[in-house]
Structures are given as C-alpha cells and as structure tokens.
Amino acid sequence: MRSEEHLLVEEQLITAKDTKAEKTTSEKEITEAVLPDKPRCLDEEYEMVYHRPKTMVDVSMHYCPGCAHSLVHKLVMEVVDELGIQEETIGVAPVGCAVFAYDYMNIDMSEAAHGRACATATGIKRLMPDRYVFTYQGDGDLAAIGIAETLHTINRGENITIVFMNNAVYGMTSGQMAPTSLVGMKTTTSPFGRDVMDYGEPIRVSELISHLPGAFYVTRQAVNSATAVRKAKKALMNAFRYQKLKKGTSFVEIIGNCPSNWKMTPIEASKFIDDEMIKTFPLGDIKLPKGEDLKLLEEVK
Amino acid sequence: MKMETKLMKGNEALAEAAIQAGCDAYFGYPITPQSEVLEYLAKEMPGRGGVVLQAESEVASINMIYGAAGAGFRSMTSSSSPGISLMQEGISYIAGAELPCLIVNVNRAGPGLGTIQPGQGDYFQSTKGGGHGDYRLIVLAPSSVQEMADFVFLGFDLADKYRNPVLILSDGAIGQMMEKVTFGKFKPNKVDKPWATVGKPATRERNYITSLHIKPEMLEKHNEKLIAKYEEVKKNEVRFEEINTEDAEYLMVAYGLCARICHKAVNMAREKGIKVGLLRPITLFPFPSEKLNLLADKMKLMLTVELNSGQMIEDVKLAVNGKVPVEFYGRLGGMLPNPDEIVNKLENLIKKNHAL
C-alpha cells in the first residue's frame, strides 16, 4: 500500500534523476525513468516503491505504446487518490483517443459527445457544486468542434478542472490535422504540411483562455521526462484543489505525444516535444491565483 | 397541494409546471416563439430551489442536460424548430445512454429559418428519432394551455419510468396563447436513480453514462434492449382523445392546434348532417395505431389535417393498412386553416368518394 514513506522514496527517485536530467530527453534518461533502481516486487521482503493508483482499473489499455494518455490518466487518478476524493469526483470523457477513459478510471464518469465535455461537466457541476468535476479532452475535441463550449464554460468560471491533452493531431481517426497542428506539420489531411495561408496558425488555447476572467489557473505542462511528469502532476493536484475555492476554472494543458500518428518512436516523439512543440507551445504557468486568492489557497492546503 | 387557476401563456404555464413537477435544472437558449420558458424560469427558479442557466447555444444546452440528467436530476430544455435541429446529436446520445429528461419543441414553420408562426413540420423529426441512429422519443402533443402544464408532470414521470427522453411537441400558437390553467392536480413523483454519476462510494461499482458500445455484438444487444423498451412503451402509454366517433362515418385525425380547429369543423359538419368524428392522438409516439385500425372498420373515409405537407398521414395510413381511403388537408408556412376550409374539403371528398 502507498504510504507517506513510499511517496517519499518515489519522490527521491525522481528528484535524483532530475538533478542529472538535461532539458532535452535522451534515450538513456527514459530507460532510467522506466526502470527504477530498486526492483519492483510484491514479495514482503522488498519495499514497495510504486504501484497502480487504487482509482485505476486493472485492465490493459488500448493506447499505443509510448502514448502520453495512459500516463496522464495515471497522474489524474493519483491526484484523486492522494486527495482522497474518489467518492466526490465525476469525470467527463471526450470523443477521441480518451473516449474509453471510463474503462480505466474507477470513478463515476460520463462520456460526452464530441466537443461537448465542458457543457456536460457544467450540467453536472451546477447540480452538484461540491463535487470535483473534471473533463479530459483532446485538441480536436476541445479546440476545434468544442471551442465554443470551452470558451463559454471558462468565461462563466465553472468550478471544474479541464485537462487538455494537446498532441497536435487527431489521434483516434488516424492522424488528421488538428487546430493545434504545428505550422508545416505533415498530417494525413495536410500532406504537404500545414499551410498558414490555408489554415492559419495553431491555436494557443491556454494563452487564449487566460484572458477570460473566469479562468482561475492556467498552465501548460508536458510528460516527456521525469521532471515534466512531476511538474504536470503538481499542476493537476493544484487544479483539483482549486475547485474547492469556487473561484473559477482550472485549466491544465498537457503537451502529449502521438508516436503512431507522428510516425516516430516514443523516444523520437518525446524529443520532438522538446525540439519543436514547445516552440509553439511554451511550457509553464500562464495564469496563477493572486492576492486574496493566494490566502484562500493556504486554507485548502 | 391547493388547486389554483390562473390565466397564462402556454409557455409560461409549462415553465410553472416544470417547477411544480420538481424540475431540478433547466438549460436553454432564446428562440421565438418559446423564449418565455427561459424568461419565466430565470425569474422564478432560483428562489424555488432549481438551477437555471442560459447556455451559449442549443448544442450546449442539450449537453448540459446530458450531464445533469446523467447525474440523476430532473432536467428540462426547451426550444423551437431550428434550435431542436441543433440538439439532435445530443438527443441521440441521451436516448442511447438511456437518460430521462424532458425536451420541449414549440414548433414553428420551416424549413430553415422559416417563420416564427406555428407549424407541425417537425412531426417526422419528433416521432421517427430525429437524430442519427435507431431510437425513439416518447412524444406528447398538447392542444391547450392546460395540457402544456399537465404534460410536464406526465413527461417527467414517463421519462423516469422508461429512462428515455420525452418530447413535448407543441407549436407557436399553443405556446403563445393565453388560457385558463389549473395547477395543483399533480405532485412531483421522483424516483431513485442508482445508475446516476454522483460520485462512486466504496459500496458500489463505478457508474458511467455512455452511448458507446464499440463491439457490434454488444451494440446489437443494446439496440435490442432499446427496441424492447419502445415496444413496452407502445403497449402501455398510448393516449388519445375521441370526439363524436360513436356514430361517425367519417373521421378526422389531427393533433395539437389542428385538433382544436378540427373540433370546430366537426361541430360545423355535424350541423350540416355529416356524421364525422375526430381522433386526436395525444401521444405521437407511441401512435394510436390500434385504435385507428379499429375505427377504420366503421369509417368510409379518414381525413388527416396537419400544419405541414403531410407527415402524420403516413402513420395513419400504416395504421389502417388500406381499410379506408386516407386523405389529407394541410396549410403551410405558418398559415392556419379555417374550420370552413376543412368542412369544404371533407364535403368535396365525400362527393368524390360517392362518385367513385
């Protein structure tokens, strides 16, 4: 079972790697991240340093090898575990690769129509304002077909958490151009590369929505290195905790990878994020709570 | 509850009834001729314990309903034809996920932007599914302000009983006209919803709301379950009103506003010695097919009257299965027939029928 001590060990393992890690992701580092120093074993004589969050269902996932979704699912469920809010949390799944999220997350969930997760979450949260409600959406779902619901939900300051997985491509339908596809990026529907004359620049959703007063916390993270994973989890933890304040929407964009549709190995895809994606989508906090809200935050800690 | 009679618009009566029927949540978007529903609820609902929210679009409102209904709350939305078209995807998801909710269409004339005047052009959309896939709504057709109120109670109860969306198909005239309406006849009748997404306690498995069944074998099973439910609805929930059918040789078939005009036409024709009756379907799905088939045995002719180019007539023809000629009279584009026009049409048809 997870205990404070085990958490500490896990933290130390990651921190040890952090100090070594460069900003770019090398093959060596990924190997290290996957294989911890201590063997994973259920025998009593060994110390348990890692286990599946109890809010994750023990089934094989449909995600491609190296895909960020499975990792981010785990992070969200770790947050639910660590906050002890399984009974109070309702998730909303999108249409896209994460459409089956409810197969993996052991919480009550609703599978929304394409792009409408924010509206569905609004319906749930308005009726149950004390529950933790989150949406988990991809870039096609949130930034193309669902941009109206996204903007209005955030503008109303719905007290929900939006987990926005941006991998610059439609994954489930096999690699079509997304509103967040990079300039020049080749996809099945932009075979010669995304042309700004035809499709404009990729939408930087986090920057866009940060201007809305209803957006309380906006951050962009990645999960392509141990450091990034740790930061992303912290951001998700903050985003969930902020719901208690009823001060507005918390929005966590995560730059994910899509090795299958980017036609890359997982390692190449992780490198592509550092080398290319973050030029268009720089990582970091975009909007943070200020003033009085900061004091309130101390109370919920 | 104390009985109370008021003079109200159809849309307002419906909105008041929603509060009295224990509607927990209303999500809607302004559109003529039904904006009074949102306006009334925006004013009344917050003080009476309900959630009301003006959504950014009909697409958003129906998906807010999906969330709220999925969490087990009595939820309602209303709109008029173009807005209901926008909701069709969401309605299909709601039917697929078997969520109870109440949808109100104050039908205006189309196609496209059409006009804000009353119409019945949404009959096919309402009764045959409307969105993608293979599903049905339970469809109630009020023909008075009183029924605008009463059918809200009935609608919520049927929705909960069958875990199916219920549609009240009204029109611009019934929604806008003012009549006496009596409240206090019904009580809110809420049921437990153990399937709802309210947060998973340790004592049960997780609940999830979805219309996704990726394996065809599973989806076929799900479809069969839905069809069995619709058959049950057909068996139990057919509602209609019969007027002067006992000795009738001719039968008018009309619903909603048209049924009121036909009622007048029936009286006028009777004064002329024509033995005519009226069957008013109250549920458009399930359709009173059996009743019509029985009536067909003693009728010489049926006349369907609609505010469209002939939609319900297809169901009437299927019901009578060739036993009697079924004729049609309709007005389009927001125009309403006079009772005289209908009597004339009937007289001409009778002459033509005898000549044959």
Side-chain angles (χ1 to χ4, degrees):
Chain A
M1 291 300 292
R2 178 175 290 270
S3 70
E4 283 305 312
E5 193 187 0
H6 294 150
L7 268 176
L8 196 67
V9 172
E10 193 181 333
E11 184 83 354
Q12 282 166 351
L13 279 171
I14 294 169
T15 318
K17 282 176 188 57
D18 286 353
T19 51
K20 283 188 274 174
E22 299 297 324
K23 278 203 170 172
T24 54
T25 309
S26 68
E27 192 169 340
K28 186 166 165 282
E29 187 192 330
I30 283 168
T31 315
E32 281 174 1
V34 172
L35 301 171
D37 298 341
K38 293 192 178 191
R40 266 180 264 160
C41 184
L42 294 175
D43 282 353
E44 283 175 10
E45 62 196 274
Y46 293 100
E47 189 182 14
M48 171 85 86
V49 293
Y50 173 86
H51 64 87
R52 178 191 298 276
K54 72 176 165 55
T55 42
M56 287 293 280
V57 180
D58 190 4
V59 290
S60 302
M61 286 183 163
H62 73 286
Y63 295 116
C64 304
C67 168
H69 273 302
S70 45
L71 179 50
V72 177
H73 280 20
K74 187 198 73 171
L75 293 183
V76 174
M77 288 301 98
E78 278 182 357
V79 167
V80 170
D81 265 10
E82 286 164 31
L83 291 174
I85 55 171
Q86 184 185 19
E87 296 192 15
E88 302 163 60
T89 304
I90 296 115
V92 182
V95 170
C97 282
V99 70
F100 294 112
Y102 57 79
D103 280 343
Y104 312 130
M105 299 181 181
N106 192 15
I107 52 170
D108 280 2
M109 285 196 84
S110 197
E111 202 295 301
H114 194 31
R116 317 302 172 209
C118 279
T120 299
T122 298
I124 297 169
K125 185 76 179 193
R126 286 284 174 136
L127 273 301
M128 296 186 291
D130 293 326
R131 291 286 194 268
Y132 291 87
V133 178
F134 73 92
T135 70
Y136 185 106
Q137 300 174 260
D139 39 60
D141 190 88
L142 181 140
I145 195 166
I147 191 84
E149 284 77 6
T150 305
L151 293 181
H152 283 276
T153 297
I154 298 168
N155 192 52
R156 287 191 301 266
E158 301 290 344
N159 293 298
I160 63 170
T161 297
I162 298 171
V163 181
F164 171 41
M165 286 292 289
N166 177 6
N167 58 15
V169 79
Y170 282 78
M172 188 60 124
T173 46
S174 308
Q176 294 80 10
M177 180 178 55
T180 51
S181 293
L182 305 181
V183 173
M185 198 167 179
K186 285 184 181 172
T187 71
T188 58
T189 51
S190 57
F192 311 109
R194 179 183 181 136
D195 187 338
V196 177
M197 291 302 284
D198 289 335
Y199 292 105
E201 298 266 346
I203 298 180
R204 292 162 180 88
V205 180
S206 288
E207 284 81 353
L208 177 71
I209 60 118
S210 67
H211 296 288
L212 299 172
F216 183 69
Y217 172 56
V218 183
T219 185
R220 185 183 285 121
Q221 303 291 331
V223 286
N224 62 334
S225 71
T227 321
V229 168
R230 201 173 57 132
K231 283 183 183 165
K233 179 168 168 190
K234 198 176 162 200
L236 287 165
M237 180 66 89
N238 287 339
F240 271 75
R241 279 208 345 256
Y242 293 165
Q243 285 196 40
K244 271 287 174 229
L245 298 180
K246 303 191 174 171
K247 284 278 181 179
T249 310
S250 43
F251 188 93
V252 182
E253 175 174 351
I254 294 175
I255 302 301
N257 57 4
C258 185
S260 296
N261 290 307
W262 290 358
K263 318 280 183 219
M264 294 178 190
T265 66
I267 289 164
E268 287 165 350
S270 287
K271 196 166 181 314
F272 183 77
I273 290 174
D274 285 334
D275 294 348
E276 298 299 330
M277 291 283 281
I278 62 168
K279 287 182 194 161
T280 302
F281 303 112
L283 304 182
D285 294 328
I286 294 161
K287 191 172 186 181
L288 286 170
K290 290 180 205 137
E292 284 298 303
D293 295 334
L294 276 177
K295 284 184 201 159
L296 280 170
L297 284 179
E298 288 305 313
E299 289 168 26
V300 290
K301 276 178 187 169
Chain B
M1 192 182 270
K2 201 172 88 235
M3 298 282 263
E4 194 183 5
T5 301
K6 289 179 173 178
L7 181 68
M8 285 181 108
K9 268 191 176 188
N11 289 336
E12 291 169 349
L14 176 130
E16 174 58 32
I19 298 175
Q20 293 192 17
C23 178
D24 298 303
Y26 173 87
F27 303 101
Y29 184 83
I31 183 171
T32 308
Q34 67 78 52
S35 297
E36 293 84 359
V37 181
L38 172 58
E39 287 168 353
Y40 188 93
L41 292 173
K43 195 174 158 198
E44 291 289 325
M45 217 156 161
R48 294 163 74 179
V51 167
V52 61
L53 188 65
Q54 178 174 330
E56 61 271 28
S57 67
E58 290 88 348
V59 175
S61 12
I62 196 67
N63 286 285
M64 289 173 184
I65 293 283
Y66 180 90
F73 293 91
R74 276 205 158 174
S75 312
M76 180 175 97
T77 186
S78 63
S79 188
S80 180
S81 309
I84 297 288
S85 292
L86 278 172
M87 289 186 190
Q88 290 304 330
E89 182 203 34
I91 295 173
S92 174
Y93 274 67
I94 287 171
E98 296 191 87
L99 300 181
C101 69
L102 188 57
I103 302 153
V104 181
N105 181 3
V106 183
N107 200 162
R108 58 192 250 186
L113 200 50
T115 175
I116 57 175
Q117 302 300 327
Q120 293 184 328
D122 300 352
Y123 179 89
F124 283 152
Q125 184 200 53
S126 310
T127 59
K128 310 298 176 192
H132 61 283
D134 205 355
Y135 72 92
R136 291 291 186 276
L137 309 178
I138 299 171
V139 185
L140 304 170
S143 74
S144 64
V145 172
Q146 184 67 55
E147 284 186 343
M148 285 288 271
D150 293 353
F151 289 179
V152 171
F153 291 86
L154 175 63
F156 273 129
D157 288 352
L158 290 176
D160 282 342
K161 183 175 174 188
Y162 294 100
R163 276 191 67 176
N164 204 68
V166 171
L167 178 78
I168 292 182
L169 181 60
S170 180
D171 64 63
I174 305 285
Q176 291 295 325
M177 69 165 75
M178 290 185 92
E179 283 185 318
K180 273 197 302 187
V181 53
T182 303
F183 291 101
K185 297 197 283 183
F186 307 104
K187 283 179 187 159
N189 184 22
K190 292 202 180 178
V191 298
D192 283 341
K193 295 172 182 173
W195 45 262
T197 53
V198 293
K200 177 204 168 309
T203 48
R204 67 156 164 83
E205 291 295 302
R206 68 192 187 282
N207 286 338
Y208 53 86
I209 303 295
T210 187
S211 58
L212 175 66
H213 304 271
I214 199 82
K215 293 193 175 114
E217 299 86 353
M218 302 305 285
L219 183 56
E220 187 178 48
K221 275 206 174 68
H222 178 63
N223 271 279
E224 284 166 356
K225 184 182 159 210
L226 292 180
I227 290 160
K229 177 166 79 175
Y230 305 144
E231 288 305 317
E232 198 64 17
V233 170
K234 283 184 195 170
K235 210 164 67 189
N236 302 332
E237 307 300 344
V238 173
R239 285 166 171 83
F240 52 83
E241 184 188 8
E242 273 181 280
I243 294 164
N244 294 343
T245 53
E246 303 80 23
D247 62 341
E249 296 173 348
Y250 304 97
L251 187 74
M252 291 185 196
V253 188
Y255 71 92
L257 180 64
C258 263
R260 290 174 72 128
I261 303 169
C262 283
H263 193 168
K264 177 74 178 169
V266 164
N267 292 343
M268 287 166 64
R270 286 256 164 193
E271 280 170 22
K272 291 185 172 188
I274 304 169
K275 287 186 174 174
V276 59
L278 169 66
L279 185 94
R280 172 170 81 94
I282 289 173
T283 50
L284 301 180
F285 184 92
F287 194 69
S289 305
E290 252 175 68
K291 182 69 198 175
L292 275 165
N293 191 283
L294 283 175
L295 286 170
D297 290 334
K298 55 176 192 169
M299 299 297 167
K300 291 178 180 166
L301 182 139
M302 288 190 185
L303 174 63
T304 304
V305 183
E306 301 175 59
L307 301 182
N308 56 43
S309 60
Q311 298 192 12
M312 183 179 68
I313 189 173
E314 294 189 3
D315 286 332
V316 177
K317 283 184 171 174
L318 281 170
V320 305
N321 201 17
K323 281 184 182 175
V324 286
V326 179
E327 300 287 348
F328 177 74
Y329 187 68
R331 292 297 298 268
L332 306 168
M335 296 299 289
L336 303 180
N338 285 322
D340 316 352
E341 286 174 55
I342 300 170
V343 175
N344 283 345
K345 175 75 182 181
L346 182 66
E347 284 177 321
N348 288 340
L349 286 169
I350 291 169
K351 273 183 217 157
K352 192 175 127 199
N353 214 39
H354 281 300
L356 287 173

